[in-house]
Amino acid sequence: MTASAIKKYFGVIWGIILLIFGLFAKNVEPVQPENFEVLNNIMYIVDDAVYCGQGLTNDGTYLYSSGSIASMYMTCLAKIDMNTGEILKKNMGAVPFEFIQKGYDHIGDISYYNGYIYAPVEDLPEEYPMVMLFDAETLEYTGIYYELDPTYLPDGIPWCTVDAENGYLYTSPFHDADNIIAFNLSDLSFSHLIPLSEQITRVQGGDFIDGTLYVNLDTSGQYREVKAINIHTGEVTLVAARDMQGADTETEGLTISKDADGKLIFHITDYDRKFTVFLRQYKYLG
Ligand SMILES: [Ca+2]
C-alpha cells in the first residue's frame, strides 16, 4: 500500500469516527469574561467543523472561515451568515493540487480585503510561507500568490491580517513572538518589525480594526487571551481573558466586526481537539 493510499484510508476511518462522536457533541456555555458580553455560541460538528477549524475574517456582512485536514488533502474555505452562523458556501479544495503536491497543506487565520481573502498558507516543513488570494465571492483561488521573506517566520505563517489604512499586512511567528512583522500590502515585500512590549505566544489569529491590531492567543491553563497591540509603539494590552472552565480547548481564528451602534463584535473559533468547533461571538464592552 502506498503512503498516499494509507493516508486516504486513515482519512476515511477518521471521518467515520468523527461522525460517530459528533452525535455526542455538547455545546458548553462560555463564561462571560470581563469586557465581553456573550452574544452567541454556535456549534459545528463533523464535516462542518472542518471548514472553520482554523481561521476567520469578515467583510462587514459575511464571515469567512478556513480549515483543513492534511491527511485528506482538504484545505477548506467557507462563507457564513454572520448572525445565524449558517454555512452558505463551501470550497473543500481551496489550495490547488500543484501546491498541495509541494506540501502546502495548511491555511491559517485569514483576512478579507477588497474582495479577496488573504490566506496564509504554509508548507509541511514550515520553511516557505505564502499568502494566497481567494475570490471572496466564489471562494476560488485567484491565481495570485506571494512567497514571503521567511527571515522572521521560523515556524510557518499562522495568521495574517490586512491594515489597508497604512498599507501593510501583519503576521507573526506562532511561538514566542517578540515582534509583529509588517509586509507591504502592494507586493508583500518585507517592510518592518514592530517590537512588542511583551512576548506573545501561540498566536492563532489576528484582526486589524480602527487602528488597532488584535490577536487571539491559545494561552495555556484556564484562560485564552485576546490582546490588543498598538502598531506604532508595540505596546501589548489585555482585552479579555476567556475562562475555558477546564475544557481542553484550542482557540483558533479571530475576526472583528461592528454592530449598528459601532460597538466591536469579536468572533472567535474554539476547537475541542476532537470533533467540534465553537463559533463564539462577543460584544466588546471596554
Ligand atoms: Ca482573522
Side-chain angles (χ1 to χ4, degrees):
M1 194 181 287
T2 65
S4 65
I6 291 169
K7 270 188 169 182
K8 279 178 186 166
Y9 278 115
F10 173 77
V12 170
I13 292 166
W14 188 67
I16 293 168
I17 291 169
L18 289 188
L19 190 64
I20 294 166
F21 280 89
L23 299 174
F24 299 98
K26 283 197 178 76
N27 197 342
V28 179
E29 286 300 317
V31 173
Q32 180 161 316
E34 200 178 335
N35 283 339
F36 271 8
E37 176 190 338
V38 178
L39 299 178
N40 266 317
N41 182 17
I42 299 162
M43 187 170 75
Y44 300 95
I45 59 170
V46 197
D47 61 326
D48 280 351
V50 173
Y51 286 87
C52 44
Q54 291 290 336
L56 282 176
T57 190
N58 80 91
D59 62 7
T61 304
Y62 297 102
L63 289 176
Y64 301 89
S65 65
S66 57
S68 60
I69 304 180
S71 63
M72 294 179 76
Y73 308 108
M74 287 173 69
T75 51
C76 305
L77 292 173
K79 186 173 187 173
I80 297 173
D81 185 300
M82 194 182 284
N83 299 311
T84 65
E86 182 189 353
I87 297 179
L88 304 172
K89 193 176 283 186
K90 294 175 175 179
N91 181 356
M92 65 178 286
V95 175
F97 192 64
E98 63 187 277
F99 291 100
I100 297 279
Q101 276 180 311
K102 293 176 187 167
Y104 286 94
D105 60 2
H106 183 277
I107 302 182
D109 183 59
I110 53 180
S111 183
Y112 174 92
Y113 170 61
N114 199 26
Y116 295 113
I117 294 169
Y118 283 64
V121 181
E122 59 189 37
D123 55 334
L124 205 54
E126 301 178 340
E127 287 174 348
Y128 301 106
M130 289 200 313
V131 169
M132 302 180 78
L133 268 55
F134 294 85
D135 185 322
E137 186 63 41
T138 63
L139 305 181
E140 296 293 333
Y141 174 54
T142 60
I144 304 168
Y145 74 96
Y146 300 91
E147 292 171 335
L148 268 55
D149 180 343
T151 305
Y152 301 104
L153 293 169
D155 57 2
I157 179 164
W159 63 279
C160 70
T161 192
V162 170
D163 164 9
E165 292 168 35
N166 299 297
Y168 299 118
L169 175 137
Y170 301 123
T171 183
S172 78
F174 182 63
H175 292 106
D176 304 337
D178 295 309
N179 301 282
I180 295 296
I181 309 162
F183 292 90
N184 295 299
L185 186 56
S186 55
D187 60 0
L188 295 197
S189 58
F190 172 75
S191 172
H192 62 281
L193 296 178
I194 303 170
L196 299 173
S197 63
E198 63 180 69
Q199 190 180 74
I200 55 175
T201 194
R202 297 191 60 80
V203 192
Q204 292 278 19
D207 204 355
F208 181 87
I209 190 165
D210 288 353
T212 298
L213 175 63
Y214 296 87
V215 288
N216 189 32
L217 306 177
D218 187 43
T219 35
S220 60
Q222 189 176 353
Y223 297 96
R224 304 291 177 271
E225 295 175 345
V226 177
K227 288 188 171 176
I229 295 168
N230 181 316
I231 55 157
H232 303 294
T233 66
E235 189 183 351
V236 180
T237 52
L238 181 67
V239 172
R242 297 182 305 127
D243 186 343
M244 291 293 127
Q245 300 188 80
D248 184 22
T249 303
E250 183 172 354
T251 193
E252 300 281 357
L254 167 68
T255 194
I256 304 163
S257 61
K258 284 185 180 176
D259 69 8
D261 301 324
K263 289 280 187 190
L264 296 183
I265 308 297
F266 283 66
H267 311 257
I268 294 172
T269 40
D270 294 318
Y271 171 50
D272 76 348
R273 299 184 200 269
K274 297 184 189 79
F275 41 77
T276 312
V277 172
F278 300 95
L279 169 61
R280 284 159 178 164
Q281 298 173 308
Y282 306 91
K283 184 190 285 189
Y284 182 42
L285 307 174

